[in-house]
Amino acid sequence: MTLLALAAVLAIQTTMPADPASAEAAAVMVPVNAVFAALAARDAALLAPHFDPEATMIVTVERPDGSRVIRRLTAEEFAGGLRPGAERFEEVMPDPIIAIDGDVAVVFGRYLFKVDGAVVHCGANHFDIIRKDGAWTIAGISWSQRTTGCEG
């Protein structure tokens, strides 16, 4: 388990999950939904306003042969992987768990990543979010990625 995933689990266990319908939870989801919108638009420029300048990403990829790879990316590298193209990208996170404590929030839950409407991979997302100058900003994203067990 990565350190960030462990932190998410601990945060959720020690902080009561926020009511997803609350204004505060909706505000926390703004940068998360902005990431999904940037992916759908295939526009890296849409990401920058929602990331802390020192944000980092960690992805754990489970390959079809069962081997695993962990990659670390800067926000710049993450954005650099998003290029215009003909395929339609869509990431959905059906039931995110949102935990908020002061100026720190965690969004955690399973996701499906679709290309032209077909699921191509899935896993769990973990967003570390901080409030700076009154706005929620992504400090980091960790996610698992696999091509099996992605039904529904």
Side-chain angles (χ1 to χ4, degrees):
M1 181 180 293
T2 68
L3 184 57
L4 290 176
L6 179 60
V9 170
L10 291 174
I12 290 168
Q13 288 179 349
T14 60
T15 302
M16 291 300 295
D19 175 0
S22 72
E24 191 70 4
V28 166
M29 288 301 294
V30 166
V32 173
N33 291 328
V35 169
F36 298 153
L39 291 170
R42 298 185 69 153
D43 187 345
L46 297 176
L47 294 170
H50 302 284
F51 281 98
D52 182 81
E54 296 179 29
T56 57
M57 318 303 140
I58 300 172
V59 56
T60 61
V61 179
E62 181 181 323
R63 295 179 174 156
D65 67 4
S67 64
R68 297 170 190 261
V69 175
I70 297 174
R71 293 181 28 225
R72 295 177 188 276
L73 306 161
T74 63
E76 228 174 73
E77 291 167 328
F78 178 73
L82 186 56
R83 296 188 182 95
E87 301 91 2
R88 188 173 38 92
F89 291 172
E90 178 186 14
E91 184 162 345
V92 293
M93 201 170 163
D95 298 307
I97 298 167
I98 304 162
I100 304 167
D101 188 24
D103 291 332
V104 174
V106 173
V107 176
F108 183 84
R110 71 182 188 93
Y111 76 89
L112 300 170
F113 188 84
K114 302 175 183 181
V115 176
D116 293 332
V119 175
V120 294
H121 65 80
C122 64
N125 280 333
H126 164 232
F127 290 84
D128 274 327
I129 302 175
I130 55 173
R131 185 170 21 212
K132 288 177 66 173
D133 301 321
W136 291 103
T137 304
I138 295 171
I141 308 172
S142 298
W143 70 97
S144 58
Q145 181 176 317
R146 64 181 183 280
T147 57
T148 59
C150 296
E151 296 77 30

